[in-house]
Amino acid sequence: MAVPTSRSARSVPLRDSSSEKMDGAGSWDAIEWTKIEPVSRSISHTNLEFLLEEEQVIVEGYGVVLVNTDEAGTLLVTNYRLIFLSEGTRNIIALGTIPLMTIEKFNKLVVKTQAAPRQSDKSPSRRHLQITGKDMRIIVFGFRPRTKQRHAIFDALLRCTKPARIWDLYALVCGPSKFGNTNPQVRLLNEYFRLLGKGFPRASMSMIEDGSFTLSNDLWRISNVNSSYALCQTYPFALIVPKGISDDEVHQASSFRARCRLPVVTWCHPGTGAVLARSSQPLVGIMMNMRSNTDEKLVAALCTQLGGTGVKRRKLYIADARPRKNALANGAMGGGSESSSNYFHSEIVFFGIDNIHAMRESFARLRDYLDTYGATSSDGMSSFLRHGGWTWGGGNLSSMSASVSTLGDSGWLIHIQSILAGSAWIAARVALESASVLVHCSDGWDRTTQLISLASLLLDPFYRTFTGFQALIEKDWLAFGHPFSDRVGMPTVSGGGNIPYELSRQSSASAFPSSPMRQSTGSHTSQNPSSTHAQNSNNYSPIFLQWIDCVSQLMRMYPFAFEFSSAFLVDLLDSMLSCRFGNFLCNSEKERQQCSIAEASGCLWVYLADLRAAEGSSHVHCNLFYDPLKHNGPILPPAAALAPTLWPQFHLRWSCPTEAQAGEVEAECRKMAFKFSELQKAKEAAENKAKDMVTAMESLSAELRNEQNARISAMSLAKRASKENEAFNRAIQSLGCKVHFSGSGDCTVDIENSLIGTPQKFSYSPSKRESESITQNDEKSDLSVSITVMSDENAPNNQIGRMCETLCPLRTREGGCKWPDAGCAQLGSQFVGLKANFDAFDRLSIYDGYFQPK
């Protein structure tokens, strides 16, 4: 990514405040240019907490002014990026911070200001450094005169922006770090298995090593004919080809296509069997009469029979992305296009999309247009102030019409529309006619990739998710050999080793004149034009950026169809252009495998997933309006809807930062969604708490019911015990005895009997063991009575028995009775529990005589 804070406006403070501040920082007029001497100040690199892992400061410049915004600050060159820090706050200024590999070109400028006639000889010239980025920005830095800071910065940029070896790139210096990469070949096989249908196993490295990935379904098979890249160096190691075509025939067919990029399947319709196929141009020769039977057989095999008919074959469209005249011109170099008469049941269609050179020039004109008419122009003037303030709101509206016309002259939106229209046409043929489409251009890795991947995005809803979008890019862009190193301007490899590489830079062709502000204030010249390293026009072109722009147009038309947001696309582009990760290095899968890029560098997809993991669906990369059920099939935009506009989040973010906030509504919706999510979580927590309270109340209610039941049972037992106690008291009293029990368990017995002359009173205290028993009974019930009927052997143990033994004068020491026939024995038999005389007990008629209803 260009800058971690580029879009969110967050700033990272610089802790070291030892550097003295400039008076009037942020104003050109406040700087005494003629009085400034070279200074020697150093920033403690240990305090630069915003530096990434293995990022090191190479050179520093102080008192530098960012002309676009008229801000003064400190300029740092690291081994990864150019960082501009505000002089006052020590915060990163996003506009002035750009990764080194995102820089397209840079050059020195000298602006001589006009002064009073008497001071003309003393007027110093301003030293500028202009940076042109591949991400639509043009920034200019102003340096103090009579210092060597601009020279030091310029030399550092020369060394760092054109590394001699690919291993000098930051992505490989840093290593995988915590964003370790898995093998992309495994991910490619998993996508192939998904396309061929269900029931296939998950891919693994062991399958690649032993070649067991050559699986098939009824129509198509995965071939390992290119496993060593001997067939085609720019194709992946595994190819999907018709099941009826042998590997030998694949070899023969490859010789008839440019760079051996033969027709192969890249997407299969799961229901109808229609396919999207890709290739390069056929080598029909200058006379357009060369043919290849094997190539014609392979292309014909793409037209499988329509399901259910058994006889009728599906139609094949051969879509040539080039203008017809360009295809004919390629015939002079041995290329050309197919003839429908040679390919059975086919139709040739030309889309008229221009080549990489036209796209590069169009992009440069659009960038210059935005810089000229933007709010933060590289000349430091807003479009509202230029030309005396009448650019937009003055009396002459022709300037506004001219600027709009200039936007149209850039041709960028026309190119976007052409790609969208071609992709929509391809998707409609597959979805509506069940036809197969073979797409190619000249080499089959630029326009072909744009059309194939965009059509797949329209046809398959899986590709509109995070996982699917990654699989789409890795398959159609990376595996099938889009030359990222050449198109983006990165070091390349040749064969298995590294070769010296000079980063070619293009001189941006501009149709706009110099700013009138510059013309009025002085001369504006470029120093050392050769030092700008004019870019090789045969290589660099923003093809992938253009495709992402097309995706953003579809997202604008179908806001519910994509899981990811526009912010995700911007961050993806920034990461690709900056070369922070190794996913987009080199020109082909073969080169990345030879250099072990996946093992030696971090993975962009892991990094982006890690960003989303912390916030989940509320992250800025997630589309709040995504509804997978609303667009669960192909989306086929009509021609009238294919009217592209500028992509504000990308095109306008540097030149018109306020107007670029087209996502403000989305941001507000995101805030509301976040608040709603928080309220939803609070609601769920409250509901769970309420459920817990209800459960606790139910538990307490059950315990209360049990207690009530136990109370009722206890009351019933108490009443019964009371009645029984009353009955026993009456029974005992009827026998002439009065028994009194105290709360402590002591027993007092008054006995009146004719055998015993006078009433006697006896007391009995229970033993410790009996007291415990009585105490336990008291705890259980307030009115509990324990009645025990004992056998004859245990009779002496009960209280009345012991009382009788105490009264009897004839008892022996052993406890026996010397007068068993005495009247006391008869008396004792009348007491309950004295002896087991149950007949006497029954004769008391307790239940009949003492349980009378009251």
Side-chain angles (χ1 to χ4, degrees), residues 84 120 203 240 244 305 308 373 390 393 422 466 478 597 602 607 777 813 828:
F84 185 68
S120 58
I240 298 180
Q305 294 180 350
Y373 295 100
W390 53 262
F466 282 110
L478 293 169
I597 297 295
Y607 167 73
N777 289 334
R813 290 183 178 179

Side-chain angles (χ1 to χ4, degrees), residues 696-770:
M697 291 179 64
E698 291 178 352
S699 177
L700 291 175
S701 299
E703 293 180 2
L704 181 58
R705 286 193 297 269
N706 293 336
E707 290 292 335
Q708 289 176 346
N709 293 334
R711 177 177 172 275
I712 294 173
S713 178
M715 291 295 294
S716 176
L717 291 175
K719 290 179 180 180
R720 179 178 177 184
S722 178
K723 291 180 180 180
E724 292 180 354
N725 182 50
E726 186 179 354
F728 284 123
N729 286 338
R730 292 177 183 176
I732 293 173
Q733 289 175 4
S734 68
L735 296 175
C737 297
K738 294 181 179 180
V739 182
H740 303 281
F741 293 96
S742 66
S744 61
D746 296 338
C747 174
T748 303
V749 182
D750 295 334
I751 301 177
E752 295 180 358
N753 193 293
S754 58
L755 298 176
I756 305 173
T758 60
Q760 300 184 26
K761 182 179 292 186
F762 302 95
S763 298
Y764 168 71
S765 297
S767 63
K768 181 178 181 182
R769 184 174 181 181
E770 291 171 342

Side-chain angles (χ1 to χ4, degrees), residues 745-817:
D746 296 338
C747 174
T748 303
V749 182
D750 295 334
I751 301 177
E752 295 180 358
N753 193 293
S754 58
L755 298 176
I756 305 173
T758 60
Q760 300 184 26
K761 182 179 292 186
F762 302 95
S763 298
Y764 168 71
S765 297
S767 63
K768 181 178 181 182
R769 184 174 181 181
E770 291 171 342
S771 298
E772 292 175 355
S773 176
I774 293 171
T775 303
Q776 293 174 359
N777 289 334
D778 288 343
E779 292 175 355
K780 293 180 180 177
S781 176
D782 294 337
L783 298 172
S784 62
V785 177
S786 178
I787 302 173
T788 306
V789 178
M790 298 183 177
S791 62
D792 292 344
E793 292 78 3
N794 296 330
N797 291 331
N798 90 33
Q799 298 177 10
I800 301 177
R802 292 177 182 175
M803 177 191 68
C804 293
E805 291 175 358
T806 304
L807 293 174
C808 183
L810 302 176
R811 73 182 189 280
T812 63
R813 290 183 178 179
E814 292 79 9
C817 182

Side-chain angles (χ1 to χ4, degrees), residues 72-86:
T74 302
L75 191 62
L76 307 178
V77 179
T78 73
N79 59 337
Y80 169 59
R81 53 184 169 169
L82 191 68
I83 304 176
F84 185 68
L85 305 173
S86 173

